[in-house]
Amino acid sequence: MRSLVRYVTNWAIPPLLLAFAVLTPLAWADPPPPEKPPGERVPALARTWPVGTRPAVLRGWEPPATVYAAGHRGVDLAAVPGAPVRAVAAGRVSYAGRVAGRGVVAVALAGTSLRTTYEPVRAEVKQGAEVDTGQVVGTVEGTGSHCPEACVHWGLLKGKTYLNPLDLLPPWLLGHGPSRLLPVLGVPVPPG
């Protein structure tokens, strides 16, 4: 900064030119991420987790600050190699193949403009196939994951915008255990 001040002082650069030189790099910054329209919600239409019954979330969804910024555009779910990966909702397979050395399955969800992605997965379905909720679409690959241990990266997109896939799950699937009935005060507990 001092060298810039000396340069300005010694050469008497006009203030307008100095402002242009300082502010121009700001115009090259990443554009802001697209805003979600007010009231847009992800419907809780999933009826199952992609793997297991309630897998551990190893890494959550971290939307990037800008379109090209770092972030985590999905969630990583704990899984073992060879475990079945299921469609969380009915839809049509929009992609089943390899991307950057990883097996990927994408399902366009029926009646919506949403699609889910699962990776690294060895596909057991073909592109264009109709899938039902809970249908196996592939198995977890042992390699190709960005997790320290095996996992499934589960993503959700609307167009080119990434959303939090956990929003697809209804509250009863996000709960921490089964519902329990408690005794009602004043009502006798049956014997046995």
Side-chain angles (χ1 to χ4, degrees), residues 90-93 107-108 110 125-132 135:
R92 179 184 298 269
V93 177
V107 177
V125 291
K126 303 267 187 220
Q127 186 171 335
E130 296 284 337
V131 294
D132 292 324
Q135 181 176 336

Side-chain angles (χ1 to χ4, degrees), residues 46-80:
R47 295 295 172 254
T48 184
W49 285 87
V51 291
T53 53
R54 190 176 193 301
V57 176
L58 302 175
R59 183 174 176 195
W61 185 65
E62 300 163 17
T66 64
V67 177
Y68 302 107
H72 194 236
R73 293 162 173 86
V75 295
D76 293 336
L77 305 174
V80 296

Side-chain angles (χ1 to χ4, degrees), residues 5-76:
V5 171
R6 261 189 235 129
Y7 182 74
V8 170
T9 306
N10 292 341
W11 295 95
I13 296 177
L16 183 59
L17 184 59
L18 176 62
F20 177 76
V22 171
L23 296 177
T24 298
L26 297 177
W28 296 331
D30 288 338
E35 295 281 330
K36 282 197 337 184
E40 180 186 6
R41 293 192 171 273
V42 173
L45 49 86
R47 295 295 172 254
T48 184
W49 285 87
V51 291
T53 53
R54 190 176 193 301
V57 176
L58 302 175
R59 183 174 176 195
W61 185 65
E62 300 163 17
T66 64
V67 177
Y68 302 107
H72 194 236
R73 293 162 173 86
V75 295
D76 293 336

